[in-house]
Amino acid sequence: MPGLHKSTIMLKLSLGFLLLSGCAAQPHNNEAGNQTIAPAPNTAPSNKDAPASEGPAQPAAEPADPQSDQTAGTEPAVSSGSEDNSTGTAAQKPEDAPVKEKLYKMSKAYRFEPISKETADKVVLLTFDDGPKEDKMISGLLDTLDKHKAKAIFFVNGYRVKKHPELLKKIADRGQTIGNHSWDHIDLKKESVAAIEKQVGDVQNIVKETLGFEPVFFRPPFGSGGDKVRSIVNKKGMLYTTWSNGSLDWDTKSTKEQPDLVIKNVLEQLHPGANILMHELPWTVEALDTLLTRLEEKGYGFIDPQTIDLGLDQTSK
């Protein structure tokens, strides 16, 4: 009997150990593992802007921005380039940054020509107007430019910079150039000298406050400015330019939500030294990777705006 009692005690101890081991093996309830992350809202930026052409090679008008306070139905698909291509605020560098050799100059037709015969002439200047609006589109453009090792000018409006200074910084930090596109995107040709001075000067000021330097390129809204605006801009140390190749991405009757037409329009007007006008729009973001690939296949390179000779000594006379 003592042996049986001892066996009973041992059996009870074993069962107790097994029960305790089973409880320890039970997993904890992981609420985080059962959570789902809600997708980002599928919205497009608002825009009240509008542009039209003054350049002799681009007669088509640039009317109101099709993204005016509207929500896009779909977000563009873009190829991402490496962010390691970021070069800091090298676009319009602070004074302590190295100055790049000047390789190109602008013609009276707003095309860019090599200064030396040794410099390639089969190149284009990429430009984007009416921003900065929204991070997703800006990032899409920047990623694609990085992928193709391309530089561009982003012509910004003051009221947008005031709303999104972080996007202005992002553009500059990724090594792209900032241009002045007036504060409110109005037809400056119809304005007084005082109004023009304010529209242009206020953008210079807010960019300098945000980045520490002023733009050296200016594009008038609608491509409309004339000698009065040109003179004011030149005196502020900027090159006045419109364009020589319009993507028509702003034309809601033809290209809205049709990236293939944006590409087609640019390629049909393609010429050496083309000054290509585009905008911060979803279908342009979607078109850009294919467009740059097609340009490369045709043997075209991309002008670094910092290699453009502003020629202000001659222009301002």
Side-chain angles (χ1 to χ4, degrees):
M1 292 301 291
L4 180 59
H5 180 66
K6 183 177 181 180
S7 298
T8 301
I9 292 173
M10 293 297 295
L11 179 61
K12 287 182 179 180
L13 289 172
S14 298
L15 289 173
F17 177 77
L18 288 173
L19 287 172
L20 288 171
S21 299
C23 290
Q26 291 298 318
H28 293 288
N29 181 24
N30 187 356
E31 294 182 3
N34 295 327
Q35 292 176 349
T36 57
I37 300 175
N42 197 15
T43 59
S46 63
N47 190 356
K48 69 180 182 183
D49 301 346
S53 171
E54 182 184 81
Q58 180 55 33
E62 188 187 14
D65 189 324
Q67 285 299 100
S68 178
D69 298 321
Q70 295 179 3
T71 300
T74 58
E75 290 290 350
V78 295
S79 300
S80 295
S82 171
E83 292 191 9
D84 291 336
N85 290 330
S86 172
T87 57
T89 53
Q92 280 116 335
K93 324 161 266 312
E95 293 181 1
D96 58 347
V99 177
K100 294 185 179 180
E101 180 185 0
K102 303 307 178 187
L103 303 175
Y104 297 93
K105 61 182 179 180
M106 189 181 72
S107 73
K108 292 182 179 180
Y110 303 111
R111 303 181 181 198
F112 290 91
E113 303 169 343
I115 295 173
S116 168
K117 292 181 180 179
E118 287 72 37
T119 302
D121 66 344
K122 207 170 181 182
V123 292
V124 299
L125 177 68
L126 304 172
T127 70
F128 302 94
D129 286 12
D130 300 353
K133 301 176 188 175
E134 185 246 308
D135 182 70
K136 186 164 187 175
M137 287 198 289
I138 288 292
S139 295
L141 294 173
L142 293 173
D143 286 349
T144 301
L145 290 170
D146 281 353
K147 176 182 178 181
H148 292 267
K149 297 180 172 60
K151 299 297 184 182
I153 302 176
F154 286 75
F155 285 100
V156 301
N157 295 119
Y159 79 94
R160 292 192 183 283
V161 173
K162 184 177 181 180
K163 186 176 181 180
H164 292 295
E166 77 285 357
L167 296 183
L168 186 77
K169 291 178 182 177
K170 186 170 193 173
I171 294 168
D173 286 345
R174 296 283 288 272
Q176 302 300 334
T177 294
I178 305 299
N180 186 325
H181 199 42
S182 84
W183 187 274
D184 288 311
H185 203 288
I186 59 176
D187 188 347
L188 297 177
K189 198 170 187 177
K190 300 177 181 178
E191 299 297 319
S192 67
V193 170
I196 296 169
E197 289 273 4
K198 183 168 178 58
Q199 284 286 320
V200 175
D202 284 356
V203 175
Q204 294 295 86
N205 292 339
I206 196 170
V207 172
K208 186 171 184 178
E209 290 169 5
T210 307
L211 300 178
F213 51 85
E214 297 179 344
V216 295
F217 295 95
F218 178 84
R219 174 175 281 157
F222 312 102
S224 176
D227 291 340
K228 180 171 62 174
V229 176
R230 186 194 308 272
S231 176
I232 292 171
V233 165
N234 290 162
K235 289 177 181 177
K236 291 184 181 295
M238 289 183 284
L239 177 65
Y240 176 103
T241 183
T242 60
W243 58 90
S244 69
N245 181 322
S247 65
L248 299 177
D249 59 352
W250 63 86
D251 186 356
T252 58
K253 294 181 180 179
S254 63
T255 57
K256 184 178 182 181
E257 298 180 2
Q258 297 194 64
D260 289 346
L261 287 181
V262 175
I263 297 167
K264 179 175 179 289
N265 290 336
V266 171
L267 295 180
E268 285 181 347
Q269 302 173 68
L270 187 60
H271 56 268
N275 184 349
I276 302 175
L277 169 65
M278 293 176 282
H279 295 79
E280 187 189 327
L281 294 167
W283 44 94
T284 303
V285 178
E286 187 174 354
L288 188 61
D289 186 31
T290 300
L291 173 60
L292 300 191
T293 299
R294 295 286 298 277
L295 290 171
E296 290 167 331
E297 289 171 351
K298 291 178 177 293
Y300 278 83
F302 310 110
I303 296 175
D304 182 341
Q306 296 308 310
T307 66
I308 295 173
D309 184 349
L310 304 181
L312 295 180
D313 292 340
Q314 293 75 32
T315 305
S316 58
K317 291 180 179 179

